[in-house]
Amino acid sequence: MIGKTQDINSRVSNSRVAYFILNISFMAIIMAILLYSTFYKYSNHHIPALLTQETGIIPPSKGLSASFAEIVRGNISTALELNPHSIRIFSFFVIQFLLRTVILIALKKQWLPVNKMVTIDVSISVILFVVCFAPLIEFTIKLFAQLLH
């Protein structure tokens, strides 16, 4: 009986550590995006939009890098001119960073079992993703539908 309890505790501890590492990894990726936006100067580091170059179609993601650069500098109106969806997409990353921070605290303080935290995290993240990336999702679905016809 003691062996089973230790095995369960070990698995819970391992899942807690794995979830901790996953959240740290997500935070690092988000920080990289925010740092890239901070150092990005769209006038001298243009990222070409391949879809636009090849088809002439302008996707709703066009200008996001430049727009993010303006958001981190506080130039919201310029950011919205560059990409009208930029604030909602940028918000996804900021909210995710805050969510990861709360999750790390919750893991450390053991507020909830890991499986419940994961369920809550995934639910919030999926809803947030769909809401924030709705214009890109809709564009992609319409584009695939056109390609199928």
Side-chain angles (χ1 to χ4, degrees), residues 12-13 15-24 99-115 117-118 121:
V12 168
S13 177
S15 62
R16 193 172 293 281
V17 169
Y19 193 44
F20 181 86
I21 291 170
L22 179 69
N23 277 280
I24 291 289
L99 180 60
R100 303 293 125 220
T101 303
V102 170
I103 288 170
L104 291 177
I105 293 167
L107 283 168
K108 184 169 176 59
K109 302 227 182 226
Q110 297 184 5
W111 289 343
L112 291 170
V114 175
N115 61 340
M117 277 195 283
V118 169
D121 179 12

Side-chain angles (χ1 to χ4, degrees), residues 14-120:
N14 288 343
S15 62
R16 193 172 293 281
V17 169
Y19 193 44
F20 181 86
I21 291 170
L22 179 69
N23 277 280
I24 291 289
S25 300
F26 282 153
M27 288 179 86
I29 292 167
I30 294 167
M31 283 305 298
I33 291 167
L34 296 176
L35 283 172
Y36 175 78
S37 298
T38 301
F39 296 112
Y40 177 86
K41 216 39 182 157
Y42 63 90
S43 60
N44 60 1
H45 183 57
H46 179 69
I47 299 172
L50 185 61
L51 179 67
T52 303
Q53 286 179 340
E54 295 297 319
T55 66
I57 298 171
I58 299 174
S61 60
K62 187 165 180 5
L64 274 179
S65 296
S67 188
F68 278 21
E70 294 300 326
I71 292 169
V72 297
R73 288 172 178 78
N75 302 326
I76 305 303
S77 60
T78 304
L80 290 170
E81 286 174 21
L82 291 165
N83 186 305
H85 311 295
S86 59
I87 298 296
R88 77 192 299 180
I89 295 170
F90 189 84
S91 297
F92 171 82
F93 294 106
V94 171
I95 294 168
Q96 278 294 315
F97 189 84
L98 295 173
L99 180 60
R100 303 293 125 220
T101 303
V102 170
I103 288 170
L104 291 177
I105 293 167
L107 283 168
K108 184 169 176 59
K109 302 227 182 226
Q110 297 184 5
W111 289 343
L112 291 170
V114 175
N115 61 340
K116 287 187 181 189
M117 277 195 283
V118 169
T119 302
I120 292 167

